[in-house]
């Protein structure tokens, strides 16, 4: 039984900041996983609940990783991808089933701009996960109208093409972890997984949570500071995951319509919305629209979005401006 | 006793004559009616043209009235603008006097003015403290 914040050291190595914020940190899905819980008071019970929340978050991310990570040889998705194109079906867990059906919905809603069936292209360009062996058969080229996953019978599904659920998987893990914390009664926190965040309630000092927008060119200062209460913020950026394939620079954000890295003219796109999975879907979709198409698409969809072009300029939608506290160079 | 005999053939002749006359009269009447109907039909376009001409004349008269009214309004507006132009000319004359005065004052100013020294250090407005940063994944 945990009786004081100090007792949490053995459990999760938390750090208490300013007496009201309990912080936990670990790694999950290849990225840092951080949780900051706002304590309602100084009672041991509050710290106990925060610790339970952190354990629930860890469990959720571990389960999501086992279901959806293409880098783990024994993950569910690796097994399913190895069956892709062979006609064989696999019984799926709730998490993987939901991830695939969400991806399929996203493909329909974005008219094929978002499609997880880009794993073959990523591997071709050198971004390799767990070995899949020789693909039994790949749906080439991907048909925008065809489904990502085909239900067979008794919760068994089959894939026509291997899928990469990295981005949407992390968004879903954040969604499920947030739901776990809500069930535990934690109502003010900031949960961060590799640059994507979920916030609830207020920070200890009150007011909105303030979230910095990373400079994708590598600057130490944020390009802007966003402010909101309950929400999710995700960023699709090529700052880290880019490399050279042959004699050309490539990155991990693949346009499913071409099979090549997309988002011409852009470095990063950030979206704020109510749900982390759909914020992730839209940040990637907007990125793939490229500099010429992003403004029209974001405004038509009414998204709160920010994007950084290759020349370093920052632009945003009207909905994004409403949630912007400060912009570098504007002094506001 | 002499029996008076009725001249039946005379009566028959008279009857036939009267019939022939009636038929002739009816024929003449029919021809006359036909002729008059043709005349009426011939005159219809002329009557319509006269009616249309009358309507156009009315419209032309109305247009002339409107043009006359517009001309009257334009004349009134021209009078107003003319008065405004007179006022503007008067103001320009006053402005020219002011410019002349400023020119005289400007000629009396020194050609160089020493400005006070200012610090080159400008404090940048830094970003507010943030709780977290949204960034590229994989860090």
């Amino acid at each position: 039984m945990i009786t004081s914040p100090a007792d949490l050291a053995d459990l999760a190595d938390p750090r208490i900041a300013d007496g009201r914020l309990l912080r936990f940190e670990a790694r999950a899905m290849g990225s840092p996983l951080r949780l900051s819980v706002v304590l309602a008071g100084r009672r041991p019970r509050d710290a106990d609940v925060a610790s339970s929340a952190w354990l629930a978050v860890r469990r959720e991310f571990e389960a999501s990783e086992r279901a959806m990570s293409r880098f783990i040889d024994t993950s569910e998705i690796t097994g399913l991808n190895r069956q892709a194109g062979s006609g064989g079906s696999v019984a799926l867990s709730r998490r993987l089933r939901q991830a695939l059906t969400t991806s399929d919905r996203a493909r329909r809603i974005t008219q094929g701009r978002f499609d997880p069936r880009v794993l073959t292209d990523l591997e071709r360009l050198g971004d390799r996960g767990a070995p899949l062996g020789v693909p039994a058969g790949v749906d080439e080229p991907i048909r925008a109208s065809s489904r990502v996953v085909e239900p067979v019978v008794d919760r068994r599904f089959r894939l026509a093409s291997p899928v990469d659920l990295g981005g949407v998987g992390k968004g879903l893990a954040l969604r499920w972890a947030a739901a776990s914390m809500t069930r535990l009664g934690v109502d003010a926190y900031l949960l961060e997984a590799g640059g994507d965040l979920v916030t609830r309630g207020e920070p200890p000092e009150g007011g909105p949570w303030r979230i910095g927008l990373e400079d994708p060119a590598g600057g130490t200062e944020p390009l802007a500071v966003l402010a909101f209460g309950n929400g999710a913020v995700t960023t699709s950026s090529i700052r880290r995951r880019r490399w050279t394939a042959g004699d050309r620079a490539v990155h991990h954000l693949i346009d499913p319509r071409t099979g090549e890295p997309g988002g011409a003219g852009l470095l990063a796109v950030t979206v704020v919305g109510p749900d982390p999975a759909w914020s992730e879907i839209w940040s990637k979709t907007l990125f793939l629209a490229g500099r010429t198409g992003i403004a029209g698409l974001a405004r038509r969809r009414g998204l709160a979005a920010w994007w950084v072009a290759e020349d370093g300029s920052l632009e945003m939608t009207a909905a994004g401006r409403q949630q912007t506290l400060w912009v570098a160079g504007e002094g506001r | 006793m002499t029996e008076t005999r009725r001249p039946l053939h005379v009566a028959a002749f008279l009857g036939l004559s009267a019939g022939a006359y009636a038929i002739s009269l009816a024929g003449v009447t029919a021809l006359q009616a036909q002729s008059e109907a043709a005349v009426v039909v011939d005159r219809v376009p002329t009557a319509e043209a006269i009616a249309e001409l009358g309507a156009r004349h009315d419209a032309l008269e109305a247009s002339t009235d409107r043009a006359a009214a517009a001309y009257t309004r334009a004349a009134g507006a021209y009078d107003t603008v003319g008065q405004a132009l007179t006022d503007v000319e008067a103001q320009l004359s006053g402005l020219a006097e002011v410019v002349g005065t400023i020119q005289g004052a400007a000629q009396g100013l020194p050609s160089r003015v020493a400005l006070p020294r200012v610090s080159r250090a400008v404090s940048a407005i830094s970003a507010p403290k943030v709780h977290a940063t949204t960034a590229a994944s994989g860090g």
Side-chain angles (χ1 to χ4, degrees), chain A residues 89-253:
Chain A
S89 63
V90 176
L92 302 183
S93 68
R94 171 185 61 85
R95 289 182 178 85
L96 185 54
R97 205 168 60 240
Q98 198 165 339
L100 289 168
T101 50
T102 300
S103 298
D104 196 50
R105 264 187 73 212
R107 175 194 60 79
R108 279 186 277 117
I109 289 170
T110 63
Q111 297 174 325
R113 288 190 182 94
F114 179 94
D115 196 321
R117 292 173 291 182
V118 293
L119 185 53
T120 307
D121 299 308
L122 280 168
E123 298 254 341
R124 172 174 52 81
L125 292 170
D127 184 12
R128 302 193 190 287
L132 297 181
V134 179
V138 175
D139 211 9
E140 287 286 0
I142 291 169
R143 297 188 306 277
S145 59
S146 65
R147 298 185 66 165
V148 172
V149 61
E150 294 284 342
V152 184
V153 287
D154 296 335
R155 296 186 177 178
R156 296 182 73 84
F157 292 80
R158 68 175 166 227
L159 295 178
S161 303
V163 296
D164 169 32
L165 298 173
V168 72
K170 192 168 61 176
L172 286 168
L174 280 167
R175 179 201 287 177
W176 295 328
S180 297
M181 285 196 284
T182 301
R183 282 195 294 273
L184 288 169
V186 180
D187 53 8
Y189 61 84
L190 187 157
L191 176 60
E192 177 188 358
D196 296 342
L197 304 108
V198 174
T199 59
R200 291 289 182 275
E202 291 185 350
E205 69 274 19
W209 292 96
R210 296 183 300 278
I211 307 300
L213 212 64
E214 180 193 53
D215 180 359
T220 53
E221 285 291 303
L223 290 181
V225 176
L226 321 182
F228 51 90
N230 296 343
V233 52
T234 63
T235 293
S236 291
S237 169
I238 57 172
R239 183 185 172 198
R240 293 183 188 278
R241 293 179 62 190
R242 56 182 169 185
W243 64 95
T244 303
D247 57 351
R248 64 183 180 133
V250 295
H251 58 74
H252 71 296
L253 297 172

Side-chain angles (χ1 to χ4, degrees), chain A residues 27 31-32 170 194-195 197 203 205 210-212 214 235 240, chain B residues 125-139:
Chain A
R27 283 190 71 83
S31 301
K170 192 168 61 176
L197 304 108
E205 69 274 19
R210 296 183 300 278
I211 307 300
E214 180 193 53
T235 293
R240 293 183 188 278
Chain B
I125 301 170
S126 56
K129 191 179 174 188
V130 298
H131 296 102
T133 299
T134 181
S137 60

Side-chain angles (χ1 to χ4, degrees), chain A residues 196-197 213 226 228 231-236 269-276 278-287 294 298 303-307, chain B residues 134:
Chain A
D196 296 342
L197 304 108
L213 212 64
L226 321 182
F228 51 90
V233 52
T234 63
T235 293
S236 291
V269 175
T270 296
V271 170
V272 169
D275 175 67
W278 279 95
S279 292
E280 174 70 35
I281 287 163
W282 281 117
S283 64
K284 186 173 184 183
T285 301
L286 291 180
F287 187 92
I294 187 170
L303 296 168
W306 297 256
W307 57 95
Chain B
T134 181

